[in-house]
């Protein structure tokens, strides 16, 4: 065979591969009929193309792979379809055959492929499906007869031994290659389907999961049915047998649902112990019968976990039929409500949603229970069920609720309560203040409205005892006007106007007001209003509203705890950078806010006096003035001695209370603060009005706050001690520097006192004063790098010596950078205290306010103290002379504003304690020497 023949055969083989790939694309997971027909058409086209691209050898004979598609079709579908797809090729081959004597050869080859393929077809299924090696011997058989027709002509007989082996080999390889391509496509489809099935199947029960349910629910047709099934009391099963036992029970239930009414009932596990079933091809009566059969079968299920444990599981079932034009969400909502009613009405029963008699709209629900001959009507409460689920979801989120969350709860309440058309929800935010957080049926400018406790009580209109007990009240028609007037009288005019304008008062015919009580306190007001002609608020309305009030109370309880936690975290973050004095004030304010106290005070323990003394700013009403409690006096010492929070419902009745006559009637709580070693740190004292005593929950929160406060106070004291130690060490370092320069000894101490006095007069605050103190103590530390010959020289310095002296601020800053815990602004004092306002200073030639404030402040003090002290090269000046020098340097050497302030303070005697170090010499002349 020549090279051109080989290339032609390879091209024919590549054409076969291409055709096989195109044909493989017609396979789908669910192949429609037209694709199956298209597959045969493509096979016929492939056969024809391979014949047309055949290789002609001597005598008009051709070698190609035209019979491979024919063999594939015969092996897969049978000889009849094989002959059909070969027909176009045969017509073309016979029509274009120039030698009629070859017709019999063509027919012989075609018939041999049909015959041999049909012969091995019963054995070839494993080869077609999976290319099993033990079946590969079947691949050449369909082509064994191709080539034997050459013996019918003299020219063919000469070519037989030359062409037959390549024909057989080429046909075998072509068939195997085509099978491999088709099988790869089928394997890919099966793998994708398996992955989809796995993603849509619950591994425990083997049922389709929620994803499959959501997908199939959309395919449900009108008149078909959705049932939601929930295992009753399944938590008890988990509690009794553990999760392994619960899983075995669910697996057995899954097996029951899979085997029940196949073809009519498709079961799903939609979550936990909840299942769903789609029923098609049945009417409502048959669907009810099937579901009742499921319930009955669950009781008598033989074998498995139920037989081992003797347990009997029951189902609550909700059934709804799809309406015309209804979407899946609407159908699910109705079935969900039916399920809720089945559980709320005793469980182990089937509840069916049936259309309302006489029209559309909200339906009635018929209940079928064990042994019930006729369905009984039950009232729909879908919004209550949804609100319960909403509440659970909000509780699980563990966050402070937003206005939109409250709006959703209120909307569900308005939907569920008979006679309610609109409503508002007011929540206590602090002390006696309420805030409207949601409004349904009203304009949204009502949301955020501030209301008072007095206005809420006036609107309620009954006794304070009933209000605090959460007794609901309903007012209608004429009584509404009186309620509006009483409430408005307790509000500020802007709020009353907003309520009057946006409250739809002329339309409202009735109001249900339900105080929401948490502990002994009204924490919210739920108001539900009816509009004219849209229903009546009655006893049934109150019953349902109570359910919502309970949910609101639960949400507020969680929100309160979460808000307290966030406040404690925020408090910890805020006080981490505060001084001890600021910390005490912040703890007092935070305690009052967290515990909604009328007033609060922090009493700190003074070990020297062995007494508790008032600290922090305090929050008193009326003010008590300073508090001093020797050991053993007052409720504070009683709490410290007992080591627990003490609560008084009426402080006036307890003789231990300090100044109880001044405090007036009220409730009190004392929170002890002790160090980890048990040493007393102080006490937090809080009071409330008499009608709002501190609860057990308040005591727990106070204990948590007290523990945090004690740790913070203990840490603050520790930091104060550390800071004092650090400051002493830094001052010692500054003094050590002075020891090299005897004439300037005590300069550091004196200039530090002067600078701190100046900073205090400027109200810099304790944090910046600490930086100023540290910078002043170390301002000349860089002189450690200056040789004694220069530093102690008694006469004027030459330029080289002056340049060396002027390096000490940079050297000092470099040394200070290695000191841990040094205040950041101390660095500025050390590096920049020789900078000048006009930019002529050193080392960085900073100008004006580019010089750090503390460095500008310290420069004035440094020069003043140096001027009134003796130096080797001059005597001390009088304070007046020194002030004249500062005045001359105003705006050039010194900050003009700070200079003026320094002169004012000096005149006021603020710096009188900084006296000249020696008797001044009036004749002394001022010379700059780098101090």
């Amino acid at each position: 065979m020549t090279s051109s023949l080989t290339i032609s055969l390879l091209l024919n083989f590549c054409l076969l591969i291409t055709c096989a790939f195109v044909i493989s694309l017609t396979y789908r997971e669910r192949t429609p009929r037209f694709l199956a027909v298209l597959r045969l058409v493509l096979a016929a086209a492939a056969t024809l193309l391979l014949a047309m691209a055949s290789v002609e050898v001597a005598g008009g004979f051709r070698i190609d792979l035209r019979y491979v598609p024919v063999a594939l079709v015969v092996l897969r579908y049978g000889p009849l379809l094989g002959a059909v797809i070969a027909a176009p090729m045969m017509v073309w081959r016979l029509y274009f055959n120039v030698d009629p004597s070859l017709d019999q050869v063509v027919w012989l080859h075609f018939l041999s492929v049909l015959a041999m393929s049909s012969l091995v077809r019963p054995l070839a299924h494993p080869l077609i499906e999976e290319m099993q090696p033990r079946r590969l011997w079947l691949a050449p058989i369909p082509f064994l007869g191709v080539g034997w027709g050459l013996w019918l002509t003299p020219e063919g007989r000469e070519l037989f031994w030359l062409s037959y082996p390549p024909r057989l080999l080429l046909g075998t390889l072509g068939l195997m290659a085509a099978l491999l391509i088709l099988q790869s496509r089928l394997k890919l489809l099966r793998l994708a389907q398996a992955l989809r099935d796995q993603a849509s199947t619950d591994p425990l029960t083997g049922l389709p999961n929620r994803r499959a349910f959501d997908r199939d629910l959309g395919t449900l047709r009108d008149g078909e049915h959705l049932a939601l099934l929930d295992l009753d009391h399944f938590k008890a099963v988990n509690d009794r047998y553990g999760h392994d036992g619960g899983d075995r029970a669910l697996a057995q239930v899954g097996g029951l649902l899979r085997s029940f009414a196949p073809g009519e009932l498709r079961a799903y596990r939609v979550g936990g112990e909840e299942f769903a079933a789609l029923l098609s091809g049945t009417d409502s009566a048959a669907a009810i019968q099937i579901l009742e059969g499921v319930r009955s079968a669950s009781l008598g299920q033989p074998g498995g976990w139920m037989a081992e444990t003797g347990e009997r599981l029951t189902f609550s079932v909700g059934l709804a039929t799809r309406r015309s034009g209804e979407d899946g969400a609407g159908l699910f909502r109705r079935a969900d409500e039916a399920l809720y009613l089945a559980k709320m009405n005793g469980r182990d029963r089937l509840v069916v949603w049936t259309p309302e008699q006489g029209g559309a709209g909200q339906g009635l629900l018929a209940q079928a229970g064990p042994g019930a001959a006729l369905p009984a009507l039950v009232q729909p409460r879908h919004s209550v069920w949804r609100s319960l689920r909403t509440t659970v979801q909000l509780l699980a989120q563990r966050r402070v609720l937003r206005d939109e969350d409250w709006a959703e709860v209120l909307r569900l309440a308005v939907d569920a309560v008979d006679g309610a058309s609109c409503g508002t929800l007011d929540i206590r935010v602090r002390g006696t203040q309420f805030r409207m957080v949601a409004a349904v049926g009203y304009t949204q400018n009502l949301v955020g409205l501030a209301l008072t406790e007095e206005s809420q009580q006036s609107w309620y209109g009954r006794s304070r005892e009933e209000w605090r007990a959460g007794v609901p009240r309903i007012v209608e028609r004429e009584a509404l006007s009186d309620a509006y007037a009483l409430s408005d009288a307790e509000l500020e005019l802007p709020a009353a106007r907003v309520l009057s304008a946006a409250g739809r008062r002329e339309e409202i015919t009735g109001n249900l007001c339900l105080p929401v009580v948490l502990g002994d306190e009204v924490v919210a007001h739920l108001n539900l209003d009816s509009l004219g002609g849209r229903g009546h608020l009655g006893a049934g309305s109150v019953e349902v509203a109570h359910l919502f009030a309970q949910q609101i109370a639960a949400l507020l309880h969680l929100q309160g705890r979460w808000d307290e936690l966030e406040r404690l975290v925020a408090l910890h973050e805020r006080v981490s950078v505060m001084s001890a004095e600021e910390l005490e004030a912040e703890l007092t304010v935070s305690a009052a806010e967290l515990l909604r106290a009328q007033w609060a005070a922090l009493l700190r323990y003074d070990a020297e006096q062995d007494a508790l003394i008032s600290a922090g700013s305090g929050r008193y009403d009326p003010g008590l003035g300073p508090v001093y409690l020797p050991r053993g006096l007052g409720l504070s010492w009683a709490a410290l001695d007992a080591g627990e929070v003490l609560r008084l419902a009426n402080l006036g009745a307890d003789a231990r209370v300090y100044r109880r006559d001044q405090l007036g009637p009220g409730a009190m709580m004392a929170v002890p603060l002790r160090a980890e070693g048990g040493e007393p740190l102080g006490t937090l004292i809080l009071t409330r009005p008499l009608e709002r005593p501190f609860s057990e929950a308040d005591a727990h929160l106070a204990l948590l706050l007290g523990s945090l406060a004690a740790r913070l106070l203990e840490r603050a004291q520790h930091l104060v001690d550390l800071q004092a130690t650090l400051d002493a060490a830094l001052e010692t370092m500054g003094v050590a520097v002075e020891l090299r320069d005897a004439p300037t000894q005590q300069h550091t101490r004196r200039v530090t006192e002067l600078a701190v006095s100046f900073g205090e007069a400027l109200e810099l605050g304790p944090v910046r004063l600490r930086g100023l103190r540290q910078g002043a103590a170390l301002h000349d530390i860089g002189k450690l790098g200056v040789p004694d010959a220069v530093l102690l020289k008694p006469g004027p310095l030459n330029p080289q010596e002056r340049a060396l002296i002027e390096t000490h601020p940079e050297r000092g800053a470099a040394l200070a950078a290695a000191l841990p815990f040094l205040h950041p602004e101390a660095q500025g004092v050390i590096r920049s205290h020789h900078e000048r306002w006009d930019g002529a200073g050193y080392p960085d030639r900073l100008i004006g306010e580019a010089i750090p404030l503390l460095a500008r402040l310290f420069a004035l003090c440094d020069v003043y103290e140096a001027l009134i002290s003796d130096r080797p090269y001059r005597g001390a000046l009088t304070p007046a002379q020194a002030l004249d020098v500062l005045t001359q340097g105003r705006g050039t050497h010194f900050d003009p504003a700070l200079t003026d302030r320094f002169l004012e303070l000096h005149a006021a005697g603020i710096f009188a304690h900084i006296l000249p170090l020696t008797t001044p010499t009036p004749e002394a002349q001022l010379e700059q020497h780098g101090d």
Side-chain angles (χ1 to χ4, degrees):
M1 299 177 67
T2 63
S3 60
S4 61
L5 177 62
T6 302
I7 293 173
S8 298
L9 290 176
L10 285 174
L11 290 176
N12 201 257
F13 190 84
C14 290
L15 180 60
L16 172 67
I17 297 299
T18 302
C19 292
F21 177 75
V22 173
I23 292 172
S24 72
L25 297 179
T26 63
Y27 285 100
R28 296 284 190 273
E29 293 176 14
R30 293 179 177 83
T31 304
R33 185 179 298 274
F34 82 91
L35 281 180
V37 174
L38 178 62
R39 188 179 307 133
L40 294 175
V41 172
L42 290 175
T47 304
L48 179 59
L49 287 173
L50 291 168
M52 295 173 68
S54 60
V55 182
E56 185 173 350
V57 293
F61 295 103
R62 293 177 176 272
I63 299 177
D64 52 53
L65 295 167
R66 77 185 76 173
Y67 294 117
V68 171
V70 177
L72 281 171
V73 172
V74 173
L75 291 173
R76 182 68 179 84
Y77 300 107
L80 180 60
L81 289 180
V84 170
I85 68 114
M89 178 271 295
M90 290 296 294
V91 171
W92 176 85
R93 186 67 180 89
L94 294 174
Y95 179 76
F96 287 100
N97 192 0
V98 295
D99 186 357
S101 63
L102 297 180
D103 291 351
Q104 54 187 339
V105 176
V106 174
W107 280 108
L108 178 62
H109 289 172
F110 167 61
L111 293 174
S112 70
V113 171
L114 286 181
M116 299 303 291
S117 298
S118 300
L119 179 66
V120 299
R121 186 183 177 211
L123 303 174
H125 182 74
L127 181 66
I128 295 174
E129 292 297 328
E130 203 173 334
M131 189 73 80
Q132 295 181 2
R134 62 189 180 87
R135 297 290 183 175
L136 290 180
W137 63 271
L138 296 171
I141 293 179
F143 310 107
L144 290 176
V146 178
W148 286 98
L150 296 177
W151 288 97
L152 298 178
T153 64
E155 297 87 352
R157 285 191 288 272
E158 296 177 5
L159 293 172
F160 177 78
W161 295 111
L162 183 64
S163 64
Y164 182 75
R167 285 177 186 272
L168 184 60
L169 177 62
L170 198 60
T172 301
L173 292 176
L175 179 63
M176 293 173 63
L179 281 173
L180 185 61
I181 292 171
L182 296 176
Q183 288 171 4
S184 297
R185 170 67 176 176
L186 292 172
K187 284 182 179 179
L188 180 62
L189 292 174
R190 283 194 289 268
L191 179 60
Q193 182 61 44
L195 291 175
R196 264 188 289 271
D197 290 343
Q198 186 176 1
S200 300
T201 302
D202 175 56
L204 178 62
T205 62
L207 294 173
N209 60 15
R210 181 60 183 259
R211 175 183 293 182
F213 170 74
D214 291 338
R215 179 193 65 218
D216 296 346
L217 181 61
T219 66
L220 207 63
R221 296 189 296 270
D222 294 347
E224 295 182 333
H225 316 285
L226 165 64
L228 297 180
L229 305 89
D230 191 272
L231 285 172
D232 298 324
H233 305 295
F234 191 73
K235 183 179 182 301
V237 173
N238 276 327
D239 292 342
R240 190 177 302 120
Y241 300 102
H243 289 292
D244 289 341
D247 288 348
R248 292 185 62 195
L250 290 173
Q252 187 168 2
V253 170
L256 165 67
L257 293 174
R258 280 199 311 273
S259 63
F260 209 89
E264 295 178 329
L265 182 145
R266 289 175 288 164
Y268 306 80
R269 185 187 180 199
V270 294
E273 65 271 21
E274 297 179 2
F275 297 85
L278 302 180
L279 297 100
S280 55
T282 63
D283 57 16
S284 297
I288 292 173
Q289 186 176 0
I290 291 172
L291 293 170
E292 285 290 359
V294 171
R295 290 198 317 106
S296 301
S298 68
L299 291 172
Q301 182 79 350
W305 176 85
M306 295 185 192
E308 293 176 12
T309 61
E311 292 284 347
R312 290 296 179 261
L313 297 177
T314 61
F315 278 111
S316 294
V317 185
L319 176 66
T321 303
R322 181 164 185 169
R323 297 168 171 173
S324 177
E326 185 177 32
D327 60 9
L331 177 62
F332 187 90
R333 179 188 66 79
R334 294 191 295 112
D336 196 28
E337 182 171 347
L339 173 61
Y340 168 72
L341 286 168
K343 299 184 78 68
M344 292 299 103
N345 286 273
R347 294 185 171 87
D348 187 19
R349 64 194 59 241
L350 168 66
V351 173
V352 184
W353 180 286
T354 59
E356 187 179 12
Q357 297 175 359
Q362 193 174 20
L364 297 176
L365 289 166
Q367 168 188 290
L374 294 173
L377 295 181
V378 290
Q379 186 178 5
R381 284 287 179 264
H382 176 259
S383 294
V384 177
W385 175 231
R386 284 197 58 194
S387 71
L388 289 171
R389 300 179 68 168
T390 299
T391 299
V392 170
Q393 291 170 359
L394 292 174
L395 289 172
Q397 293 177 21
R398 298 182 180 180
R399 60 174 173 82
V400 176
L401 301 185
R402 300 182 292 268
D403 287 350
E404 50 266 34
D405 300 320
W406 293 118
E408 175 65 13
V409 173
L410 179 61
R411 185 185 63 78
L412 292 168
V414 171
D415 289 345
V417 174
D418 295 334
S421 304
C422 46
T424 58
L425 178 61
D426 313 325
I427 289 178
R428 187 188 295 271
V429 289
R430 185 176 291 108
T432 60
Q433 295 297 311
F434 283 73
R435 177 178 178 273
M436 191 175 294
V437 296
V440 173
Y442 298 103
T443 57
Q444 290 305 298
N445 62 335
L446 287 178
V447 176
L449 192 66
L451 305 168
T452 65
E453 183 175 290
E454 291 75 14
S455 70
Q456 298 286 60
Q457 292 180 27
S458 298
W459 169 247
Y460 178 70
R462 292 190 181 181
S463 69
R464 185 174 182 81
E465 289 72 22
E466 290 178 296
W467 185 67
R468 294 187 62 201
V471 177
R473 76 98 177 93
I474 296 176
V475 294
E476 295 179 321
R477 304 191 184 281
E478 293 78 11
L480 279 169
S481 299
D482 297 335
Y484 289 138
L486 290 172
S487 176
D488 290 347
E490 300 294 341
L491 289 173
E492 294 183 2
L493 188 58
R497 285 176 175 173
V498 171
L499 277 175
S500 179
R504 304 178 67 177
R505 293 181 174 181
E506 68 283 354
E507 302 177 58
I508 294 177
T509 58
N511 169 266
L512 166 58
C513 177
L514 187 58
V516 179
V517 179
L518 192 58
D520 296 324
E521 184 178 40
V522 176
V523 293
H525 255 202
L526 175 61
N527 285 288
L528 299 169
D529 303 318
S530 61
L531 302 179
R534 301 188 190 178
H536 173 72
L537 296 167
S541 307
V542 171
E543 178 186 355
V544 178
H546 262 301
L547 296 176
F548 283 91
Q550 292 168 5
Q551 295 172 57
I552 293 169
L555 290 170
L556 285 172
H557 178 73
L558 173 71
Q559 172 158 291
R561 301 293 80 78
W562 195 250
D563 182 55
E564 290 162 2
L565 179 60
E566 288 190 341
R567 284 172 176 264
L568 287 173
V569 172
L571 171 64
H572 190 273
E573 293 175 350
R574 288 198 307 273
V575 302
S576 60
V577 295
M578 289 182 178
S579 65
E581 296 78 9
E582 292 172 326
L583 171 61
E584 292 170 353
E586 181 65 26
L587 286 175
T588 305
V589 172
S590 297
E593 291 181 350
L594 267 172
L595 291 157
R596 292 174 292 168
Q598 185 177 12
W599 66 260
L602 174 63
L603 306 182
R604 289 298 307 275
Y605 176 66
D606 187 311
E608 293 183 0
Q609 303 182 59
D610 194 25
L612 294 172
I613 302 172
S614 55
S617 60
R619 289 184 61 167
Y620 318 112
D621 186 17
L624 296 179
V627 176
Y628 179 86
L629 293 177
R631 181 180 288 274
L633 179 63
L635 189 68
S636 298
W637 276 110
L640 279 169
D641 293 340
E644 61 184 21
V645 176
L646 297 183
R647 293 178 290 141
L648 301 178
N650 183 0
L651 61 87
D654 196 309
R656 295 174 296 177
V657 176
Y658 175 73
R659 296 184 184 175
R660 53 178 173 166
D661 295 336
Q662 288 181 255
L663 291 171
M668 177 175 281
M669 181 162 62
V671 185
L673 308 178
R674 285 188 174 273
E676 288 188 355
E679 302 84 2
L681 295 173
T683 311
L684 264 174
I685 300 294
L686 305 109
T687 69
R688 278 183 183 173
L690 196 61
E691 63 272 12
R692 290 196 302 116
F694 292 99
S695 65
E696 187 69 26
D698 293 326
H700 288 310
L701 176 59
L703 192 62
L704 181 61
L705 177 62
S707 176
L708 174 62
R711 300 292 79 74
L712 291 173
L713 290 171
E714 194 173 17
R715 187 188 70 172
Q717 185 59 51
H718 181 59
L719 290 176
V720 169
D721 295 341
L722 284 177
Q723 193 62 54
T725 303
L726 176 62
D727 289 346
L730 295 179
E731 290 177 5
T732 301
M733 290 178 65
V735 171
V737 173
E738 289 181 340
L739 291 177
R740 296 183 61 208
D741 187 5
T744 64
Q745 289 184 19
Q746 299 188 41
H747 165 67
T748 296
R749 178 186 60 78
R750 287 160 52 83
V751 76
T752 299
E753 292 178 3
L754 181 59
V756 171
S757 297
F758 193 11
E760 289 175 345
L762 295 177
E763 299 181 348
L764 290 183
V767 176
R768 301 194 80 177
L769 284 174
R770 185 166 65 249
L772 178 60
R773 183 187 301 277
Q774 293 177 355
L778 298 177
H779 74 282
D780 276 340
I781 191 174
K783 289 183 177 179
L784 290 172
V786 178
D788 289 349
V790 176
L791 183 65
L792 305 179
K793 184 176 180 180
L797 302 176
N798 61 38
Q800 293 78 16
E801 292 168 337
R802 166 67 63 181
L804 186 58
I805 281 287
E806 290 181 357
T807 63
H808 84 271
E810 291 180 274
R811 294 172 184 266
L815 288 171
L819 295 176
F821 309 115
L822 189 68
H823 193 284
E825 292 198 74
Q827 286 268 10
V829 174
I830 296 169
R831 185 179 182 90
S832 303
H833 68 282
H834 281 294
E835 299 287 355
R836 292 170 54 102
W837 184 260
D838 59 6
Y842 61 88
D844 301 311
R845 295 192 175 276
L846 301 177
I847 300 174
E849 292 187 357
I851 306 169
L853 172 64
L854 297 188
R856 284 181 272 145
L857 180 157
F858 179 77
L860 278 162
C861 300
D862 190 28
V863 171
Y864 176 78
E865 198 285 329
L867 290 172
I868 64 173
S869 302
D870 279 336
R871 288 293 184 266
Y873 45 84
R874 59 149 175 84
L877 301 184
T878 65
Q881 290 173 319
L883 292 177
D884 287 341
V885 174
L886 297 185
T887 304
Q888 294 170 15
R890 181 185 182 277
T892 56
H893 192 156
F894 308 113
D895 181 334
L898 287 178
T899 304
D900 294 343
R901 187 69 177 134
F902 187 91
L903 296 175
E904 292 173 7
L905 293 171
H906 192 284
I910 300 299
F911 308 132
H913 60 292
I914 309 296
L915 299 174
L917 193 58
T918 61
T919 303
T921 304
E923 299 80 17
Q925 301 295 318
L926 172 65
E927 294 187 35
Q928 296 277 342
H929 194 264
D931 288 304

